[in-house]
Structures are given as structure tokens and as C-alpha cells.
Amino acid sequence: MTGNTDVIVIGGGYAGVMAANRLTLRDGVSVTLINPRATFVERIRLHQLVGGSDDAVVEYRDVLAEGVRLIVDSVTRIDAGGRSLLLESGGTVGYDYLVYAVGSGSADLSVPGAAAFAHPIATFEEAQRLQSVLEDTPASAPVTVVGAGPTGIETAAELAEEGRAVTLVCGGVLGPYLHPRGRRSVAGRLAALGVSVLEGPDTKVTAVTRDCVRLGDGREVPSTVTVWTAGFAVPDLAVRSGLSTDALGRLLTDETLTSVDDVRIVAAGDSAAPSDLPLRMSCQAAIPLGARAADTVLSRIAGERAAALNQTFAGQCISLGRQGGIFQFAHRYDVAVGFHIGGRPGAKIKEFVCSGIVKHLAGEAHKPGSYRLHNVSGGAHRRQVLAAKDTERDESPTAAATTATTTAEQAV
């Protein structure tokens, strides 16, 4: 430990980098970022890495403040009581405050055959492996993409634009987040690229083999290369460390992003579950959450009251190859509306957003405190939902019985 306040950030993704940069705003704070890779991964470009149009990495020197110490390692356990971290390399690091920003990865491939024959792409290493597999696979070989969220749609479009024969298996509806108008726009673009889209409840994958994907209705879809994009999971570091989490393993926090177990631990990004009402896993949420987490730590150091989460959303951007895309507008509480921008303008907006994200991180690195989007008003809907949850809990029979017991105990 130093004479300063030592703050450790676990995870060098969008949320972690934003938090680390912002923490350098205050003198007397030593900031350390621990990440398993020596370069920053643009996760929202991993489909481009697979398709060969981008390497999806940025040097940390371009997005990380000079005052942040980078340790290339992984944390295997958090000792909250001792305020220390055990590293995979065998060392330990102490902290005064901890920002938990470990992100997310691929969901468990529990469908029979998926672990052996499907290729997830939620991490840089997974995307690299898939890129290598595709390089060794004839362009005429059938490729099946499982999962029709943004990652699945983007990957299918990217590969189809290269001339590959792609089938997109939705397991339900195409682009569940999208408004029906936006969905029709995406479907039209995919059709123009030659992507075969399989929708409906009977398209859930029941098994993956070396050369096909089996669906719930009994169909077998030929597949030389199967890409798995159905769902995300979070690392189990918080669970292994004995901290309170939600059912998926996200760290449970209050609305200031402070752990319900320890005032010295705050969370940000995909691995945070504020008030057990987590936000949509996305870069759009991660960066403001990183800024909010840093502000909470800085407020605690200053002896001030930390501000509550005030998250807003603009919508969802999806690239559809290099020449097409969609920006789906949404309410601030993250529900799609009927307006979208598609086609080439949609592609330009998507690229503008992707480039802008790196600029946001670099801007905060050069001028800590300059990022302010996490303070934009618009959290009223979330507060209403939380109030409704509180009312429901207070009125439940269990809560009433607990209150009665507590009252009786106090009387005694």
C-alpha cells in the first residue's frame, strides 16, 4: 500500500477503463487496472475481427490515462475482509477501494454438442479462433449462426457480405429488442445479403454436430462451421469470493453501485446488478456505469454522499455488413420505438458510434471528469420500477410476517 488511497479496478473493458481514467481526477489517489490482456479489446467489433475487416484492438496507451498502472494478470479471489486480491500469477495486491468491472463472456454451451462443435465469439480469443477456422474453411461451406441478437445478426451479415452461405437460426424472433419496423428493415438487408433466416419457437437448437445443427422441430441445418452467439454469462469471481450476487453471478449493489456486502467495493458494467435490476448488457450501459462507479468511489474518499444511478438509453445500433446498418431509437428506459435509421446512413451512424466510444475513453484519459453522459436526466422510469418493487415486497405475506416477528422481538 502507498500513502495515497489505493483503488484497484478489475477488468480493462469499457466500464473498467472509464472508471480507471475518471479516478485520476482526484489527487492522492493511486489507480491500478488489472486485466488479463495487454491491449484494449473493442468488443463491439469482434464480428469484424471474425470477418477480417478490423483487428478489434486498441493500445492501452491510446485510451488509458498515464497515471493508471496496468497489471496484466487475472484476479482469482477477492479477500474483502483483508482488502486484497489474489492474482493468477500467485501475487497479492492490496486496495482501499475496489471497482469490480469483470465484464461478461459466452454463456454456458449446455446444448448437446455445442461445447465440442460450436464456436462462441464473446471474447477476443474466441473470435480469433473462429477467424482461423473460417480461413481454413472453403467459402462455399455452409455457416450457421445461432442467436439473433445484435452479435448474431452482425456476424451473419459480415460473413454473408464476404460471399459465404450463411443461415441465421433465431431460436425465436429476429432481433428481439427491435421494433417491428426496425426488424423488417434488418430482415430485408439480411435477405439482400443472401442470409437464410430461420425464425419461430421451433427454431431453438436442440443439438450441434460436426456437420449440422438440429432444431426443435426436427430439422437439420447443414453446417460446416457453427457460430454460437446465444446469450452471455459473467465470470464467477464474485461468487468464488463469497460476495452477494444475482442468479447469473452479477455483483449485487445498491443504486450507487456499492456492493451490498462491502462499502469499499463498487461494481460497473455487465457484471453489476444494481438493486437486483441489472441493465441490458451493452457498451452503451458499461461506460456510464464505469463513470458512476468512479464517482461513487471519489465521493466516499471525499466523505460526501454518493449519487444514485441515473442511466438512460438511446437505442441499439447494429451493423449489417460494411455497407448497411440500423440505428433503432428507443425510449430512455430502453424500449424500442417505431423510428429507426437504416441502410447506408445506419452503417455510418454505427461506425460513428463505434469510433466515438474510443474517443470518449481517450477524452476521459486526457481530461478526467470530462465525460458527463451518465448525468443526463432520464432515470424516472427506473425509480418507478424500484418503488413498485419495494411496495410489492412490503406488502408480501413474507415481508409482513418478518415485520411482525421483528416488532415482537423488539418488544421483548
Side-chain angles (χ1 to χ4, degrees):
M1 299 287 252
T2 70
N4 296 329
T5 300
D6 289 313
V7 184
I8 303 291
V9 179
I10 308 177
Y14 296 107
V17 169
M18 173 55 74
N21 288 343
R22 197 171 186 87
L23 286 164
T24 64
L25 178 64
R26 182 182 176 89
D27 292 336
V29 176
S30 296
V31 185
T32 301
L33 179 69
I34 302 176
N35 191 64
R37 305 174 192 86
T39 53
F40 175 77
V41 175
E42 288 190 87
R43 188 171 175 183
I44 56 176
R45 292 194 188 273
L46 287 181
H47 63 284
Q48 290 184 249
L49 171 61
V50 170
S53 64
D54 199 283
D55 61 9
V57 294
V58 174
E59 296 297 325
Y60 270 120
R61 64 173 177 268
D62 295 328
V63 294
L64 197 61
E66 288 186 7
V68 177
R69 176 191 177 202
L70 176 64
I71 295 179
V72 180
D73 208 331
S74 296
V75 177
T76 58
R77 188 174 184 279
I78 301 169
D79 177 4
R83 292 186 199 163
S84 67
L85 309 173
L86 177 63
L87 303 181
E88 190 174 62
S89 62
T92 58
V93 182
Y95 66 85
D96 293 310
Y97 289 92
L98 178 67
V99 178
Y100 186 83
V102 297
S104 63
S106 298
D108 181 34
L109 303 184
S110 57
V111 172
F117 301 113
H119 300 273
I121 59 169
T123 68
F124 180 72
E125 291 77 12
E126 290 170 344
Q128 275 190 317
R129 285 194 289 270
L130 176 57
Q131 181 192 36
S132 179
V133 168
L134 288 168
E135 287 176 349
D136 294 335
T137 302
S140 59
V143 176
T144 300
V145 178
V146 179
T151 303
I153 293 171
E154 291 184 327
T155 304
E158 201 80 20
L159 297 179
E161 196 174 63
E162 288 186 349
R164 291 189 176 273
V166 181
T167 299
L168 178 61
V169 177
C170 299
V173 67
L174 173 69
Y177 180 94
L178 300 171
H179 187 275
R181 294 175 185 170
R183 189 171 298 121
R184 286 194 293 271
S185 176
V186 170
R189 172 62 177 167
L190 291 175
L193 289 171
V195 178
S196 176
V197 178
L198 304 182
E199 291 187 88
D202 292 334
T203 62
K204 291 187 181 298
V205 175
T206 59
V208 180
T209 71
R210 189 180 302 276
D211 54 13
C212 81
V213 171
R214 295 196 182 109
L215 307 184
D217 60 5
R219 279 181 290 175
E220 291 190 353
V221 180
S223 184
T224 301
V225 178
T226 300
V227 185
W228 197 271
T229 71
F232 295 100
V234 298
D236 64 350
L237 176 59
V239 174
R240 284 188 281 111
S241 301
L243 297 170
S244 297
T245 67
D246 70 359
L248 290 182
R250 291 172 289 211
L251 188 70
L252 284 176
T253 76
D254 63 15
E255 286 295 283
T256 70
L257 302 182
T258 303
S259 166
V260 298
D261 301 312
D262 192 327
V263 73
R264 299 276 180 156
I265 301 176
V266 301
D270 291 353
S271 54
S275 302
D276 203 13
L277 190 66
L279 304 172
R280 172 164 56 93
M281 289 185 181
S282 62
C283 174
Q284 187 174 177
I287 290 180
L289 287 172
R292 176 62 60 202
D295 286 358
T296 292
V297 172
L298 293 173
S299 294
R300 293 266 157 71
I301 294 172
E304 300 170 353
R305 182 177 180 177
L309 180 65
N310 186 39
Q311 186 76 34
T312 63
F313 286 85
Q316 190 175 79
C317 288
I318 301 176
S319 69
L320 298 166
R322 297 300 86 212
Q323 303 301 317
I326 183 173
F327 186 91
Q328 169 67 70
F329 288 85
H331 294 288
R332 290 187 175 187
Y333 50 87
D334 206 24
V335 174
V337 299
F339 182 61
H340 70 272
I341 298 174
R344 286 180 180 271
K348 290 181 179 179
I349 292 174
K350 167 71 174 181
E351 180 56 34
F352 175 80
V353 169
C354 291
S355 300
I357 287 167
V358 173
K359 290 179 181 177
H360 276 310
L361 297 177
E364 189 69 15
H366 295 132
K367 188 179 179 181
S370 60
Y371 180 84
R372 297 178 182 175
L373 293 182
H374 65 307
N375 289 323
V376 173
S377 62
H381 184 267
R382 180 178 178 85
R383 290 190 290 272
Q384 290 172 359
V385 173
L386 290 171
K389 285 182 63 177
D390 290 341
T391 299
E392 183 179 348
R393 183 178 63 247
D394 292 343
E395 293 178 350
S396 69
T398 302
T402 300
T403 301
T405 302
T406 301
T407 302
E409 290 173 346
Q410 289 174 342
V412 174

